[in-house]
Amino acid sequence: MARRRVKRTSRDIIQCATVMFLEQGYTATSTKQIADELDIALGNLNYHFPTKEHLLAELVDMLCNFQWKMIEEEANDGLSSIMAICLELTAMAAICDTNAAAKDFYLSTYSSPMCLEIIRKNDTARAKEVFAQHCPDWTDEQFAEAEVLVSGIEYATLMTVGDPVSLETRIAGALNGILQIYNLPEETRRMKIRRVLAMDYRAIAERMLAELKQFVIDTNEQALAALYREKGLEMP
């Protein structure tokens, strides 16, 4: 008996787009290329995601917490998540320093109003937890205002063109500025920056990129398997 197939879903589209965005860059990837890769009509893709930016925003929303949890494990500070804050930007900067496609992906997320809103919302909530003891009197509005500055520093760190300054110098300057915004004492800032730069952050960056891709693939494969079970169908 021939197997019945389940129609392509938004999860299939996200899975395919993730690989293409990270391997050839967001800018160089069109929705038509994604539709062709999935062998579906462009109208079918647009039914799930009206624009490429909608697709990117869905992906960013999906990846924000996963990337943070992975980086927290890598940082393994044992005392606070401040090291994870430092390592996350360091890893992203290291990726962007050597991988043009990944750099285009990350810069596109900061350039998209939809994605930037998601990033700032997630990072503001995280900052309120991580830096609470250093900003005990801050209001929600002050944390939100700080994140506007922080996201600007992050974008500037990732977008550097022509290598006028070494990667380590850029990272150190960016982290010092971010930690200063959240009132960390100078000696604490120096210690955190020294520690993160002493880590094998380039290797961590490569693992992060690989695990981001695998996370999306695994998430979608699990969802697809559940859908087949629900409908009483066999996996093709």
Side-chain angles (χ1 to χ4, degrees), residues 212-229:
L212 288 177
K213 292 180 189 177
Q214 194 59 49
F215 167 70
V216 175
I217 291 170
D218 290 346
T219 298
N220 284 284
E221 289 297 333
Q222 292 164 11
L224 186 60
L227 180 60
Y228 272 84
R229 288 195 300 270

Side-chain angles (χ1 to χ4, degrees), residues 80-146:
S80 73
S81 294
I82 294 174
M83 272 295 292
I85 292 275
C86 295
L87 182 57
E88 185 172 34
L89 177 57
T90 300
M92 289 194 297
I95 288 172
C96 292
D97 195 54
T98 57
N99 188 317
K103 178 177 181 178
D104 180 77
F105 169 77
Y106 277 110
L107 290 181
S108 296
T109 66
Y110 280 87
S111 302
S112 156
M114 269 191 246
C115 295
L116 189 56
E117 182 179 358
I118 294 169
I119 291 169
R120 285 177 174 170
K121 180 179 178 181
N122 275 274
D123 288 0
T124 297
R126 185 187 306 162
K128 287 168 66 176
E129 295 180 5
V130 175
F131 297 112
Q133 63 176 321
H134 299 282
C135 311
D137 301 321
W138 279 25
T139 64
D140 289 349
E141 183 178 4
Q142 285 174 296
F143 275 105
E145 290 172 350

Side-chain angles (χ1 to χ4, degrees), residues 83 87 90 168 171 191-202 204:
M83 272 295 292
L87 182 57
T90 300
E168 286 200 358
I171 290 170
M191 181 267 291
K192 296 293 183 183
I193 293 169
R194 281 198 305 269
R195 287 187 60 186
V196 79
L197 290 178
M199 300 175 74
D200 189 358
Y201 56 82
R202 289 188 183 275
I204 291 171

Side-chain angles (χ1 to χ4, degrees), residues 154-184:
E154 291 171 344
Y155 179 76
T157 305
L158 303 182
M159 71 171 283
T160 301
V161 177
D163 281 334
V165 180
S166 71
L167 177 63
E168 286 200 358
T169 300
R170 282 192 283 123
I171 290 170
L175 293 180
N176 186 62
I178 290 170
L179 297 180
Q180 192 168 17
I181 287 172
Y182 291 111
N183 298 327
L184 266 73

